[in-house]
Amino acid sequence: MPDTDLLRASRDGDQFYYHWAARQALKLLLPGADLTAIAIEGVSHDDTEGRYGEDVIDIAEYYGATGLREANRVVYRQLKHSTTRATEEWTVSGLAGTVTGFAEKYRRIRLESPGLEQKVTFEFLSNRPVRDSVLRAIGILAAGGERGAYAQEVKFLKQYAGFSGDTDGEATFFNQLQVDPTAPGLLRLEGLFRLDLAGFLPGAPDVQPLLLKEMIARRATSLETNHVVDCSTVLTALGVPPKRVLPAPNLIERPERVIVTPQTRAIVDDIVRLAQRPVIVHAAGGVGK
């Protein structure tokens, strides 16, 4: 039974990843969204030539374009979920592989395209808390300050990042490293995902949550040669045309001629003045709204 429980916890981590990425992909549908594409299990094909450090990148988000050079900003994100240790704090050693991989990616970007590293963010996301001393050590390194009371954590983080004598690069990297321990657990995340999806589709969602999540899961494997998700990919997975996605375009035709009586204007003015907040008038058709 204990082995089975460990296996279930591992499966929880996979499902957390798929649900989180699927929920994030819904942002591609927002009107005027700056988020353009999401790469699953790595980065887009139009990123760096060298693939150093990309084994720790679960999701790469591209804003404004689908490639590193054209995008306005890029977020490289690693997702970590725990079922059995949800309340156990991450220590500095728990971030070793993440910091090493992210730092390698940072240096590769700076080597191939100097200057582009300024628009990149690295994020470690988890449903587990992170020890305060680790967060403070990251802040110290980002500011280029003295080690102080957190010398041990600062020492290990510097070793993991491996910048040697490049203090400027080290400070910039840690300034662009974010640690977010506020991710919801799997059960709550599943509910939030379904709730968010319901806000995009008329009526109650049917199989759409499963279809979207399966699309993400498939792109995390070798079954799909293209592991980049964009707006059209999400719509195809949901099986809906763009016009059926909420908020739907306004189809109410404005009448050519509107007769406003003095009484109507007085009533409207009184309602607006007394309510002091936006007012929506609704009633059955034909009653003279």
Side-chain angles (χ1 to χ4, degrees):
M1 183 63 71
D3 293 340
T4 303
D5 289 343
L6 290 175
L7 183 61
R8 291 182 186 277
S10 176
R11 297 293 183 267
D12 284 354
D14 294 338
Q15 291 299 314
F16 172 83
Y17 175 12
Y18 303 148
H19 278 90
W20 199 94
R23 187 187 182 205
Q24 195 74 351
L26 290 174
K27 295 181 179 180
L28 293 163
L29 303 180
L30 292 172
D34 189 28
L35 180 61
T36 305
I38 298 176
I40 307 299
E41 283 290 352
V43 301
S44 78
H45 300 295
D46 188 14
D47 204 280
T48 55
E49 295 180 6
R51 298 303 183 184
Y52 298 92
E54 292 178 4
D55 55 320
V56 302
I57 299 174
D58 293 322
I59 295 173
E61 299 175 7
Y62 298 86
Y63 294 80
T66 58
L68 172 62
R69 292 164 184 79
E70 296 78 17
N72 301 323
R73 65 186 182 98
V74 180
V75 179
Y76 299 116
R77 191 176 274 115
Q78 185 181 52
L79 309 175
K80 290 289 187 180
H81 177 273
S82 178
T83 299
T84 59
R85 297 188 294 170
T87 59
E88 184 177 328
E89 290 183 329
W90 285 101
T91 61
V92 67
S93 61
L95 272 64
T98 305
V99 172
T100 298
F102 280 166
E104 289 178 351
K105 181 64 176 177
Y106 173 88
R107 286 191 290 270
R108 174 52 53 174
I109 295 172
R110 192 167 61 162
L111 177 64
E112 292 185 14
S113 305
L116 292 187
E117 73 276 5
Q118 300 294 333
K119 62 181 180 182
V120 168
T121 300
F122 301 91
E123 182 173 303
F124 175 84
L125 178 74
S126 177
N127 69 319
R128 287 175 54 186
V130 178
R131 186 165 294 177
D132 182 66
S133 59
V134 177
L135 299 176
R136 291 184 180 274
I138 292 174
I140 290 172
L141 287 167
E146 298 296 328
R147 300 186 181 189
Y150 309 101
Q152 193 76 353
E153 286 80 2
V154 170
K155 170 187 172 183
F156 284 120
L157 287 172
K158 288 173 70 71
Q159 290 178 358
Y160 302 152
F163 280 89
S164 300
D166 183 8
T167 55
D168 290 340
E170 180 182 78
T172 303
F173 166 71
F174 279 103
N175 188 58
Q176 293 168 220
L177 173 64
Q178 298 179 0
V179 178
D180 185 355
T182 64
L186 175 59
L187 182 61
R188 181 165 176 262
L189 177 61
E190 182 184 32
L192 291 172
F193 167 54
R194 290 178 175 273
L195 184 64
D196 287 351
L197 181 55
F200 284 94
L201 300 176
D206 185 14
V207 298
Q208 287 86 357
L210 296 176
L211 293 174
L212 184 55
K213 184 173 71 72
E214 177 58 26
M215 180 272 288
I216 295 293
R218 186 179 178 87
R219 275 166 170 73
T221 69
S222 59
L223 293 173
E224 287 285 346
T225 56
N226 183 10
H227 58 277
V228 175
V229 176
D230 58 18
C231 181
S232 62
T233 315
V234 176
L235 291 173
T236 301
L238 295 176
V240 296
K243 291 184 179 180
R244 287 194 58 196
V245 176
L246 300 176
N250 186 2
L251 299 179
I252 300 176
E253 296 182 2
R254 188 178 184 87
E256 296 180 0
R257 184 184 179 202
V258 179
I259 300 176
V260 181
T261 65
Q263 294 86 350
T264 301
R265 176 58 62 188
I267 293 173
V268 170
D269 291 343
D270 286 343
I271 292 175
V272 173
R273 177 174 52 82
L274 296 174
Q276 296 183 346
R277 65 183 64 184
V279 177
I280 298 177
V281 178
H282 61 93
V287 300
K289 294 188 291 298

